[in-house]
Amino acid sequence: MSTIRGLAEVVLWVHDLPRSIAFYRDVLGLSVISPPERKNPIFLQAGPANIGIPQLIVLVQLPPDAAPFSKPRTLHHVALEIAPDDFDAEYARLTGLGFAPRSGEHPVLPSRTLYVDDPDGNEIELICTRKTP
């Protein structure tokens, strides 16, 4: 039996690090935990450090001459959990920022989901449990 306690980090290659930091920090609200002197990679906390190791999104700057990403991409999407009471407000907030959130249906979990793309075209899912009446 595995002793894994959770997902520690997802590491993403990015073409424009400042633009990606702005998306994950300013649009999604993740906290940059990298020290200011660290320029690459950048570590963003995606939830509380409940068990000692925080959940992280790590952004790694590609070299300037890196080719654009092509499809199909290796990464399908990254899902981040939000509170059920925040779902409608988050949908409206992202729409107000110029995003066109897409909805979906999780095939296993009773949940609500919405999807937006980050600056490099990675699909980001925001998911919450479905509130019961």
Side-chain angles (χ1 to χ4, degrees), residues 57-82:
I57 299 288
V58 183
L59 306 175
V60 182
Q61 175 70 58
L62 285 164
D65 60 346
F69 294 123
S70 61
K71 292 189 177 193
R73 305 269 303 268
T74 303
L75 176 71
H76 187 279
H77 72 275
V78 174
L80 302 170
E81 183 182 7
I82 60 174

